[in-house]
Amino acid sequence: MSYGTKTANIMDIPLSVSSVVAPHLGDNGYKMEGLNSIRILSVDNCTLSDYDEGDGDEPFGAPSLVVPDEQVLELAYNKSMLLRIQRTQIQDIPVSSFAKQVALQQANEVFVPAHDAYSLAKIFAARPSGNIVALDTNDYPLSFSKVVSKAKTGGAGMGSIIAWVTYTFADILRAKINFTGSDAGYTEGKNGFLGKMAGSPIVQAPDAYFFAGVHAIVADKRAIINVTPKMDPKNGGMVVIDPVPLFSGVEIQLRDRGDTFVLSKKARTVATLETAASTTTTTTTTTTTTTE
């Protein structure tokens, strides 16, 4: 017996991957429209002196000379993808908006994860060495709380603090929720939502977005500049060329250009939870700092 077969007019594409970084961060007022880099000035703290009323010349002690430091933020994240689809494929496949669906799949499945992993790596790279907390496998909640305390010691405010944790760490942390009482966090944790812990909202992210041995990154959102992409593959960074010279079909150009920075004077609000091995991980350079 013969059975008829036809191609469905709806293409099977992966479910959209949501960003774990962009929805939670902004540019904090540092705009880069029409610019490839910006220079940000800051000054170091000075030292206290004892006021001496008996010293008629310098009761304040020796003066401190204030010299601004420069932090140059230059866009470095610039990714692209070039796709071509033969016209016969478009003509003979009964999938509506085939080219657009192909492009959106690449934007969701490739561009979003890559940009998120890059941004978390930049934030991670900015943490001071003194803000690294070693994971105590006997007490995950306490370990996480220590990371939040490190960030707060650096000036992070509870109203603007945020934590990214790996799925694996979140699973273990959730399994260790055993407190009782009226705290809403208990119910949320048992239902699969971590909510806040140690006062910090928790964003769960794939383990692959982190360096090996890194379990959590805590930071104050005011310390981070998440540049609004100049080109986003979902919005303004997608160009469809039809017709294409010397090619029978359409061409799709996808671009993602932006960056993520940590302000040098606020980097002390970045803290991490790591295993001992990860403290030696080579990280990317977050910024360029010069002094005149």
Side-chain angles (χ1 to χ4, degrees):
M1 182 178 290
S2 299
Y3 295 94
T5 302
K6 73 173 184 179
T7 301
N9 62 358
I10 302 174
M11 190 166 68
D12 177 23
I13 61 175
L15 297 175
S16 177
V17 177
S18 299
S19 172
V20 298
V21 174
H24 306 285
L25 299 176
D27 60 19
N28 280 312
Y30 294 89
K31 307 297 182 182
M32 297 192 72
E33 290 89 349
L35 303 171
N36 184 61
S37 65
I38 58 174
R39 183 173 62 241
I40 299 174
L41 300 181
S42 62
V43 297
D44 291 331
N45 292 333
C46 299
T47 58
L48 291 172
S49 299
D50 291 328
Y51 188 87
D52 185 0
E53 288 87 347
D55 188 342
D57 295 327
E58 294 184 355
F60 284 92
S64 298
L65 184 63
V66 176
V67 180
D69 292 329
E70 293 182 0
Q71 182 181 13
V72 179
L73 309 182
E74 183 173 351
L75 295 179
Y77 192 81
N78 194 358
K79 302 296 182 181
S80 65
M81 182 182 291
L82 184 64
L83 307 171
R84 282 187 172 182
I85 305 174
Q86 296 187 62
R87 196 167 303 281
T88 48
Q89 292 284 352
I90 299 174
Q91 291 174 336
D92 298 343
I93 294 179
V95 176
S96 60
S97 304
F98 177 70
K100 182 179 180 180
Q101 292 191 55
V102 170
L104 289 177
Q105 177 178 324
Q106 306 311 309
N108 288 325
E109 286 281 299
V110 181
F111 281 90
V112 169
H115 202 148
D116 276 2
Y118 173 85
S119 296
L120 289 177
K122 291 291 291 288
I123 299 169
F124 168 82
R127 89 261 191 249
S129 59
N131 281 11
I132 299 173
V133 176
L135 174 65
D136 180 357
T137 56
N138 294 317
D139 200 330
Y140 277 67
L142 176 60
S143 297
F144 180 79
S145 295
K146 287 182 177 180
V147 182
V148 175
S149 293
K150 286 281 188 180
K152 290 192 295 184
T153 300
M158 295 312 300
S160 56
I161 202 168
I162 187 171
W164 291 273
V165 304
T166 65
Y167 283 151
T168 298
F169 182 81
D171 290 339
I172 297 173
L173 193 61
R174 187 180 297 111
K176 292 183 178 296
I177 295 177
N178 57 9
F179 52 87
T180 59
S182 60
D183 193 325
Y186 175 78
T187 302
E188 288 184 342
K190 289 301 183 183
N191 291 335
F193 300 96
L194 284 177
K196 287 186 176 182
M197 187 164 188
S200 173
I202 293 178
V203 179
Q204 301 173 56
D207 293 35
Y209 289 9
F210 296 75
F211 288 114
V214 179
H215 308 285
I217 301 173
V218 177
D220 191 305
K221 292 185 285 188
R222 296 170 298 179
I224 304 168
I225 300 174
N226 189 41
V227 178
T228 302
K230 290 177 176 287
M231 284 181 278
D232 184 328
K234 294 183 181 181
N235 182 23
M238 180 190 301
V239 177
V240 179
I241 300 176
D242 184 15
V244 180
L246 304 179
F247 179 74
S248 179
V250 301
E251 180 174 286
I252 305 171
Q253 299 176 358
L254 299 173
R255 294 284 304 278
D256 185 9
R257 181 171 179 242
D259 219 315
T260 303
F261 304 101
V262 176
L263 295 166
S264 60
K265 294 302 181 184
K266 298 182 178 67
R268 59 186 184 177
T269 67
V270 180
T272 56
L273 181 63
E274 308 176 30
T275 59
S278 71
T279 59
T280 58
T281 299
T282 300
T283 59
T284 56
T285 301
T286 306
T287 58
T288 300
T289 303
T290 58
T291 303
E292 291 185 352

